[in-house]
Amino acid sequence: ATNALMERLHLKYQQKPWSETVKLVHFCMDKPLQQPDSNAPDGPLLSCMEKIQRALHAKSLFSVMNRLESLSKQKGLSAHVSPSGTACYITSSMFYLEVQLEKDGEVMDVKLAHLGEDPVVCDDLVQHLRMKNYDAFGKSLEDLSNLYQIPGNSEMKAKGYFALQALEKDLYSMSLLDRTQDVNRVTEVLHGKVGHLVPRTGATPMNIEFYISPYQVLEAELNPDSQVCGTKAVVAVEGTDTLHKLPLSPLFVDSHAGEDGHPAFLPLTDELSMDLPAAFVLKFHQPIPMSSSSIEEIQRLTGIHNLNTNKKNHLIPGIQITGLKLAPLYELIVQSTLPEKGSEDFSTHKSCFFVSLPDCPKHCYFINKGSEKSDLAGALVSKIPFSHPKCVPGVIEILRHQVAYNSLISSCVSEKHMNEDDSELLYFEVVPHKNASFSVFFLHPMKENLACVIIDVITSREVQCRLHLNPQDPTLNSSDDFITRAVKRCMSVPVVMRAIFRNAAKVKAES
């Protein structure tokens, strides 16, 4: 029966050109391509259409238009083709995109206009479409829609957008505070009040790069075209279930910093602000493991106690951190460092990692995740909500501090959990302390006693190290100052330990 039906369909349409058949299917499917409902009879058909669209390399004007319309509806937006057939308008109630095409389907221009703004050309969107990178173009459509993800009508959404604009202007003004003509990106990342700030352009949201490791800096210097970037946050506005007073126009006083050295702002009056069911957020591409003390510090600074803006408050007993799941901090750092997250848990690894470095025996690190006490606990933080631009420099400083600390711990983590060879091994144990410090224990190279280096990460730029030996044991020829400088230069525990053992080897050779 199926074969007979297919034969009749084949005979019916064999006289018609393929373009008309495609038009007919497209007409029948002209509805938003949402996630197929498993009970819906057309679910499998929707899914197949989406797969076909993704597989086809749109080359002609007709096929490019088809792709744009399909993608727009998939993202919950409307799409209309101009009477000339060479322009596609992708619209929502708050913005529209105009995609201009040549007769052969080549993309000429993509213009974006937000509510009440003039259209501007979006070079990034032009490039996505010229490269047929529809996944990236679809992601940009999502980012544009996300600018207006706050509850309420169009007027309320517009107010949220004006608040975001005001914040962006204030952050940009703050980024110029200590910028000089010869300042480079790395200096801005590590020292700037708001890091290295890249303003929002078209569909790309404003982002802040606030920490970069010494090895990333070295990689960028050796390969200028490598596009190496450090840890970033995206600046956005999101809907919340409580009201926050958000500024609707810039507050930064563009004269000079306040008396205490901090930026000065206009008072948040009713004329300059509005209560909205929204908050500003700094969002991270990968969740950052943060200690409970860092989280509480951020909460005090921002006045917002739920770091999960889209959910109701859920208090965790014993600690005033809401909307977050607490776990031992070192467990979170290890899981975030390993590429295959979730494939094996922390206990499976026995917290033991083998690190190979040139010109020295292999290191074996035991990472002691510490007790379950709250001062050694932490959580994975995906975003930080706030309501005033003045919070940002302080939040950035806390984030830098935490990421610098995390990078030192993660330098002891590797994918190797088993030793594949029988070569000589040096054993180390990494033990956490509260207040961003930790110890590295190891056997004295010339005695059977333990030695210990305590590393205290005071800020992202300031580290203090102390070497502790049994008073009767010979010196290792590494002063506290030497170890401190070594840590700051490389932010890698194994590299510093190799330097200590090399200095000790010189003493051993001389004696």
Side-chain angles (χ1 to χ4, degrees):
T2 307
N3 288 343
L5 178 64
M6 292 305 293
E7 186 65 30
R8 286 196 348 248
L9 280 170
H10 182 69
L11 287 169
K12 182 176 180 180
Y13 287 102
Q14 70 178 352
Q15 303 302 322
K16 298 196 176 190
W18 175 242
S19 60
E20 281 195 29
T21 305
V22 172
K23 271 185 183 174
L24 178 63
V25 173
H26 187 67
F27 176 76
C28 294
M29 298 300 298
D30 193 15
K31 57 177 79 171
L33 282 175
Q34 288 142 356
Q35 283 294 349
D37 183 353
S38 56
N39 299 322
D42 59 351
L45 187 55
L46 282 165
S47 178
C48 288
M49 283 293 292
E50 196 176 330
K51 284 176 185 172
I52 290 168
Q53 287 280 19
R54 290 173 71 85
L56 286 172
H57 291 289
K59 289 180 181 175
S60 68
L61 176 63
F62 177 75
S63 59
V64 172
M65 283 298 187
N66 256 356
R67 192 78 180 91
L68 289 175
E69 288 184 277
S70 169
L71 192 59
S72 304
K73 288 167 187 172
Q74 192 182 323
K75 303 299 179 186
L77 302 168
S78 302
H80 312 279
V81 179
S82 68
S84 65
T86 57
C88 181
Y89 295 93
I90 299 169
T91 61
S92 80
S93 59
M94 307 307 296
F95 68 89
Y96 76 85
L97 280 170
E98 180 186 347
V99 182
Q100 296 176 340
L101 302 167
E102 305 270 16
K103 293 284 186 188
D104 60 359
E106 279 300 306
V107 177
M108 286 169 55
D109 239 343
V110 181
K111 291 180 181 175
L112 166 68
H114 288 281
L115 199 68
E117 292 181 6
D118 294 327
V120 291
V121 175
C122 292
D123 292 326
D124 53 341
L125 296 183
V126 172
Q127 288 307 313
H128 291 332
L129 291 180
R130 283 182 181 166
M131 301 291 289
K132 310 292 184 201
N133 190 346
Y134 290 105
D135 283 345
F137 185 75
K139 175 69 170 68
S140 296
L141 293 182
E142 282 179 29
D143 287 340
L144 285 168
S145 297
N146 287 342
L147 286 174
Y148 300 98
Q149 287 302 308
I150 69 167
N153 55 20
S154 294
E155 187 183 347
M156 195 66 85
K157 291 179 189 293
K159 290 285 195 287
Y161 178 68
F162 296 148
L164 179 64
Q165 273 187 319
L167 171 70
E168 290 172 338
K169 286 173 183 171
D170 278 341
L171 293 181
Y172 184 69
S173 299
M174 278 192 270
S175 75
L176 299 176
L177 265 185
D178 32 27
R179 184 183 287 179
T180 55
Q181 279 191 329
D182 58 344
V183 73
N184 63 20
R185 178 183 133 236
V186 172
T187 305
E188 279 192 334
V189 170
L190 297 173
H191 301 274
K193 273 194 167 53
V194 290
H196 174 69
L197 184 143
V198 179
R200 174 164 54 92
T201 54
T204 308
M206 174 181 275
N207 66 74
I208 289 172
E209 188 181 1
F210 57 86
Y211 184 79
I212 190 165
S213 73
Y215 283 107
Q216 287 175 309
V217 174
L218 183 62
E219 191 182 342
E221 287 171 356
L222 295 174
N223 306 301
D225 301 324
S226 60
Q227 303 281 303
V228 175
C229 73
T231 312
K232 282 184 175 181
V234 167
V235 179
V237 66
E238 280 190 358
T240 59
D241 52 14
T242 52
L243 293 174
H244 297 99
K245 190 180 278 292
L246 299 185
L248 297 182
S249 59
L251 300 176
F252 180 74
V253 179
D254 193 18
S255 53
H256 54 273
E259 292 174 17
D260 55 359
H262 296 298
F265 295 91
L266 294 170
L268 199 61
T269 59
D270 290 342
E271 291 77 31
L272 296 176
S273 66
M274 184 176 176
D275 285 331
L276 292 171
F280 301 132
V281 286
L282 294 175
K283 295 202 291 190
F284 313 115
H285 297 298
Q286 297 291 333
I288 296 176
M290 297 194 72
S291 68
S292 55
S293 56
S294 292
I295 293 169
E296 287 173 332
E297 211 178 326
I298 284 173
Q299 289 173 337
R300 279 194 295 273
L301 196 62
T302 62
I304 296 178
H305 290 277
N306 188 357
L307 295 201
N308 198 347
T309 51
N310 299 95
K311 293 186 180 170
K312 302 278 183 188
N313 284 348
H314 292 293
L315 284 177
I316 293 173
I319 190 162
Q320 290 296 300
I321 294 176
T322 50
L324 294 172
K325 183 183 175 187
L326 287 172
L329 178 64
Y330 278 29
E331 190 171 316
L332 298 173
I333 294 173
V334 169
Q335 288 170 355
S336 298
T337 306
L338 293 170
E340 292 300 320
K341 294 188 187 74
S343 62
E344 298 172 271
D345 67 15
F346 193 72
S347 57
T348 310
H349 297 141
K350 303 277 188 286
S351 319
C352 174
F353 303 97
F354 294 92
V355 178
S356 299
L357 290 174
D359 310 322
C360 83
K362 192 179 284 185
H363 292 191
C364 177
Y365 287 90
F366 293 93
I367 296 185
N368 182 333
K369 67 181 182 183
S371 68
E372 299 294 327
K373 288 188 302 182
S374 62
D375 56 6
L376 296 173
L380 287 174
V381 177
S382 300
K383 57 192 172 188
I384 293 173
F386 61 100
S387 60
H388 197 291
K390 70 180 179 185
C391 301
V392 176
V395 168
I396 292 291
E397 205 48 48
I398 296 166
L399 288 171
R400 278 181 180 138
H401 187 196
Q402 184 70 61
V403 175
Y405 182 80
N406 292 359
S407 65
L408 279 170
I409 304 306
S410 63
S411 70
C412 306
V413 178
S414 78
E415 293 175 66
K416 293 189 175 71
H417 317 305
M418 294 170 63
N419 193 20
E420 290 115 4
D421 55 42
D422 298 322
S423 61
E424 187 187 350
L425 273 175
L426 296 176
Y427 291 94
F428 303 89
E429 184 181 8
V430 179
V431 181
H433 301 278
K434 60 180 181 179
N435 301 331
S437 67
F438 63 97
S439 297
V440 183
F441 290 94
F442 56 95
L443 276 175
H444 193 289
M446 291 162 267
K447 294 284 182 181
E448 290 299 308
N449 290 326
L450 278 177
C452 165
V453 172
I454 296 176
I455 299 174
D456 188 4
V457 186
I458 297 162
T459 70
S460 61
R461 297 171 291 275
E462 191 181 352
V463 180
Q464 274 186 0
C465 301
R466 298 184 304 281
L467 174 63
H468 293 275
L469 303 173
N470 187 308
Q472 280 78 46
D473 289 349
T475 175
L476 295 181
N477 199 27
S478 291
S479 67
D480 291 351
D481 185 49
F482 167 81
I483 298 170
T484 298
R485 280 185 285 112
V487 170
K488 285 164 79 170
R489 193 163 55 244
C490 66
M491 294 301 282
S492 166
V493 172
V495 172
V496 172
M497 291 299 127
R498 180 179 65 178
I500 291 171
F501 270 77
R502 279 179 174 170
N503 285 354
K506 290 176 192 169
V507 176
K508 196 173 181 180
E510 287 165 7
S511 62

